[in-house]
Each structure stands twice: as structure tokens, then as C-alpha cells.
Amino acid sequence: MLLMQFSAAGTDFPSIDTWSPEEIRAHVGFMSEVNGKLAADGELVGGEGLAGPAQAKIVRAGEGGTPVVTEGPFAETKEFLAGFWIVDCETPERAVELAAHISTAPGPGGRPLNMPIEVHPVMSAPTQEM
């Protein structure tokens, strides 16, 4: 799983809501090309961009399993999950290569954002003997 993290700390570009329409189109176009290439190569299992933290909810089980819902992450949160891909790669090195490429998504002025992309192996189910 490739996780695209956004962090206000340590970035040198403005929030996407300040980008020009052309910059947003270039960014979304890049992501569409990435997804198309992954699909064509048979490596894309799934993936999506995610809404910002203002629209997120945190859910815990309350008494009797009733959902207890709080609004998104706390205001002081400086990082949030911006999107993800689940890919089926031949090697861990290939997953790292894909993450590095995704990190080059264009931002303002067409400059690569170099956003951190976390790479997590997806665990498989335990054997039937367990």
C-alpha cells in the first residue's frame, strides 16, 4: 500500500486550494496518468484520493457497540492522509520505485511536490493451520 501523506510542516508549497486551475489540472492529470500506467501494467489493485481532514470523522465503539463519532483530526494535526494506492508488485523495490515516481507529482509552477509516500506491505491471511 502506498500512502500519500500531506504535511503542512516541512512543505515549501501552498495549500492546494490556492493553486491555479492549470496547476490543479496538471496535478490531477499526473495522478490519472500514474493510475492508467499502473492499470495497464497490471499493478493497480485500487486507489483513491481522499478529502481533507475537515471532512474526516473519528469513530470508536461506545457502550453496546454504538458508534461514537467525533469530527476529523484535532485542529493541531499537521499531517493527513491525502490518498492511497494498493499495488501488486513483483518486488518491494518496485513498490519503492512507484512511490518515488508518485512523489514527483507537480505542484505550483509545475515543480515536483516531493511529498512523502509511505510504503507498507499488505499482510496476507494466516495459514489454515493457525
Side-chain angles (χ1 to χ4, degrees):
M1 178 177 253
L2 309 178
L3 302 172
M4 181 171 46
Q5 297 285 347
F6 175 80
S7 172
T11 59
D12 61 353
F13 56 86
S15 171
I16 197 167
D17 61 347
T18 66
W19 298 7
S20 73
E22 295 80 21
E23 291 167 337
I24 292 172
R25 277 193 292 277
H27 183 79
V28 171
F30 175 90
M31 293 301 180
S32 293
E33 287 176 22
V34 164
N35 291 344
K37 175 106 172 72
L38 289 171
D41 292 346
E43 294 177 311
L44 182 65
V45 175
E48 295 293 335
L50 302 174
Q55 295 173 288
K57 300 197 179 327
I58 296 173
V59 181
R60 290 184 175 86
E63 190 165 327
T66 304
V68 176
V69 180
T70 56
E71 297 304 311
F74 297 108
E76 65 270 10
T77 298
K78 296 188 176 17
E79 296 181 347
F80 65 90
L81 184 60
F84 69 92
W85 293 261
I86 297 178
V87 296
D88 185 6
C89 301
E90 291 293 323
T91 65
E93 292 78 18
R94 175 65 178 150
V96 168
E97 181 182 299
L98 293 171
H101 177 66
I102 291 168
S103 179
T104 68
R111 291 183 311 278
L113 293 175
N114 294 322
M115 289 177 67
I117 308 295
E118 292 183 25
V119 178
H120 291 261
V122 176
M123 295 174 56
S124 59
T127 62
Q128 289 192 5
E129 292 84 40
M130 297 188 94

